[in-house]
Amino acid sequence: MAADLERLRQEICRREEELSELKQRLADMEKKSVEDASDGTEPKTIHNGNQKLTNDQIGRYSRQLILPELGVKGQVKLLSSKVLIVGAGGLGCPAAIYLAAAGVGKIGIVDYDEVEISNLHRQILHTEHRVGVSKAESVAISCRNLNSSLNFITHKVQLSSDNAMSIIRDYDIVLDATDNVATRYLLNDACVLAGKPLVSGSALRFEGQLTVYNHKGGPCYRCLYPKPPPPETVTNCSDGGVLGVVPGIIGCYQALEAIKIAADIGTPLNQRLMLFDAIDCTTRTIKLRGRQVLCPVCGDNPSMTQLIDYEQFCGARATDKDQEKKVLPASSRMTAKEYQTLLENGIEHVLLDVRLPVEMEICHLPHPALNIPINTVKKDPSALVEQIKRQLASSGIPLDTSPVVVVCRRGNDSQLAVQLLHDSNLNIRDIRGGLHAWARDVDSLFPVY
Ligand SMILES: Nc1ncnc2c1ncn2[C@@H]1O[C@H](COP(=O)(O)OP(=O)(O)OP(=O)(O)O)[C@@H](O)[C@H]1O
């Protein structure tokens, strides 16, 4: 049954990709036939008196063509503009579809990742049956369905110092729709070096931000943030959460800014930062400081003339594996399977879950747990030790031998908790890999978030 479902899913994906290719071929042929017709005796102007737009284009873009600010001139600019979207996620999806709808002639999409089920609540161009498909490809397919007359280029790679300049070179405007500090600096420096405006967006929880860097003499990202933040202070959607519509709104704003720049209309958001708060439904725009003459990349005497190692520059976040190596000795840890054995043998213990209560509501291990979030543990570890000792005593469990088992989502915060409680004389260990390991190694039906 599961194999049949998977086969069907793959078949849908295959056919959808085929359909998308056919649409692209059809669009190319239609374009060619218009060019051929206007090549010889038959003038392009014969039907609509307009040398610049075809009848199809006039029909499709009519509602924006009649805007005096845009008009035929602006639409022609859009059709000949080239916009690169880096990141085909929560910001990139809405940005891409509005750029395609507006008729931006060439749209590049960079993403190395594949669609996951947890992306679908906000990355609205992907679909259920495209789980496992390249995100860049998925965005191109959805955009082509909307407007097959445009040119969509997929770059299924991680943007890095090695490839950024050669990818960016072919575009006029770049959108930063990514989610990490290293790529922000990389994109900033690459855009300054290549002389391209950078429309930057971000969204987390209920808040979003938007600005345009390196445009019309305004500052670049480095002018405002010369040094990267300490890695441990950076939170992403996977850890902090995000309401899907928030990146949706910011991604739309990114498309809007790109359209304004491409069509040369309105006032771009350079040297200003827009702050959006979904909880109160407020937006605020604040003035930013201008370009810094001492900026190492866009200043008067730039010391940076090529891209650097951005992971190193930002002191990239330690991976789960690094953290495992760095933090606890093996004797202070147990595997998910070892915890399963402990449960099956009915060994008395205290289970300490250091996630937020809201996460406990999503799922929890099949044993009553003391739920103390890691931030509370950090504030007063000794109070927690007293609480655990009281619980052990009231259950008549021997204090020094009975295990205290700490769990979290992926096994990082639990290690921190064990460290904080290390001097307590408790027999304390954490579950390596947390609930993710439990779902992977013990209970395949346990939910993963
Ligand atoms: N250097 C990079 N090159 C290409 N794509 C990148 C780069 N850095 C980030 N991205 C992409 O940017 C997108 C950002 O999307 P988003 O912020 O919605 O988060 P996500 O990584 O998809 O989701 P989650 O954090 O929930 O797993 C991701 O698809 C990610 O793969």
Side-chain angles (χ1 to χ4, degrees), residues 87 89-90 111-113 119 122-123 135 158-159 179-180 183 238:
D111 207 308
Y112 60 94
D113 203 4
N119 297 149
R122 69 186 190 284
Q123 305 185 12
K135 284 187 180 181
Q158 176 156 20
L159 199 81
D179 58 353
N180 61 85
T183 307
S238 165

Side-chain angles (χ1 to χ4, degrees), residues 86-92 110-114 116 118-119 121-123 126 135 155-160 163 176-180 182-184 186-187 203 236-239 242 247 311 409:
V86 185
L91 298 165
V110 189
D111 207 308
Y112 60 94
D113 203 4
E114 291 170 353
E116 288 174 48
S118 64
N119 297 149
H121 86 115
R122 69 186 190 284
Q123 305 185 12
H126 310 314
K135 284 187 180 181
H155 305 271
K156 297 174 202 169
V157 292
Q158 176 156 20
L159 199 81
S160 68
N163 59 24
D176 182 355
T178 65
D179 58 353
N180 61 85
T183 307
R184 278 195 197 288
L186 163 67
L187 269 175
N236 59 20
C237 295
S238 165
D239 292 330
V242 65
E311 295 291 329
R409 185 172 160 204

Side-chain angles (χ1 to χ4, degrees), residues 286-325:
I286 55 173
K287 186 138 176 54
L288 298 173
R289 62 184 183 150
R291 187 179 71 88
Q292 299 296 294
V293 290
L294 294 177
C295 173
V297 66
C298 78
D300 289 351
N301 290 304
S303 54
M304 287 183 61
T305 51
Q306 56 187 25
L307 302 177
I308 57 170
D309 181 338
Y310 292 88
E311 295 291 329
Q312 192 185 42
F313 174 67
C314 296
R317 282 165 76 96
T319 63
D320 290 0
K321 274 213 172 105
D322 290 338
Q323 292 221 9
E324 277 186 18
K325 268 187 244 152

